[in-house]
Amino acid sequence: SLFLHPPCHMESVHGVISWNINHINGILGNKTNDKDFLDTISSHDVICLQETGNEVYLPGFKSFSNTRKSGRGGGVTTLVRNCISSSCSRITHQLTEDCTLNVIIIKITDTSTGINTFDVNDYIPPANSHQK
């Protein structure tokens, strides 16, 4: 499996990656079927994707998505490895009514110390963007 990973310790996060993927279903097809894409992200416990266009799901991860309701492009998904997802909670994900500003904030609590870490995943279209 592409998602083989060292044993996950629920109390801590082992790696975060952020990537503007310019739509999950790109010119070359669905990126979740692309071995190079999966090899790059599979070693991380938290995966922040921007400009997803749609919700994104991967085996072994809990998905938190916020897709745009109008226009093209945009959308964000934060994937959290299942073994730490029970210590995660979504704080917010929508700051504008039409979802042109896509934001997901996830609180991750270290179960051994009680310390919270906040993961902010956002996509703000450029001012001159036709995607608004």
Side-chain angles (χ1 to χ4, degrees):
S1 168
L2 292 171
F3 290 94
L4 289 178
H5 187 263
C8 186
H9 304 285
M10 287 185 65
E11 69 274 1
S12 60
V13 174
H14 299 284
V16 177
I17 187 171
S18 180
W19 192 344
N20 183 323
I21 61 170
N22 194 19
H23 210 287
I24 194 67
N25 294 307
I27 294 171
L28 301 176
N30 189 311
K31 290 179 176 77
T32 62
N33 296 324
D34 182 291
K35 183 182 180 322
D36 292 333
F37 176 75
L38 295 174
D39 284 348
T40 300
I41 66 172
S42 67
S43 65
H44 300 84
D45 288 337
V46 179
I47 303 166
C48 300
L49 304 174
Q50 301 84 41
E51 285 200 274
T52 56
N54 299 312
E55 294 187 32
V56 178
Y57 299 96
L58 288 177
F61 289 84
K62 181 173 182 176
S63 177
F64 300 91
S65 291
N66 179 4
T67 56
R68 190 171 294 168
K69 294 182 182 6
S70 63
R72 302 179 323 151
V76 294
T77 294
T78 299
L79 300 162
V80 179
R81 195 172 295 279
N82 284 340
C83 64
I84 61 168
S85 66
S86 63
S87 63
C88 297
S89 59
R90 174 185 249 165
I91 303 300
T92 186
H93 70 281
Q94 182 175 327
L95 299 179
T96 58
E97 191 171 309
D98 64 355
C99 291
T100 54
L101 174 65
N102 300 120
V103 178
I104 297 175
I105 301 172
I106 304 293
K107 178 175 84 172
I108 305 169
T109 303
D110 184 318
T111 57
S112 65
T113 65
I115 295 174
N116 295 320
T117 301
F118 294 87
D119 177 83
V120 178
N121 184 9
D122 65 16
Y123 176 72
I124 303 168
N128 62 349
S129 175
H130 61 284
Q131 296 181 4
K132 289 184 177 182

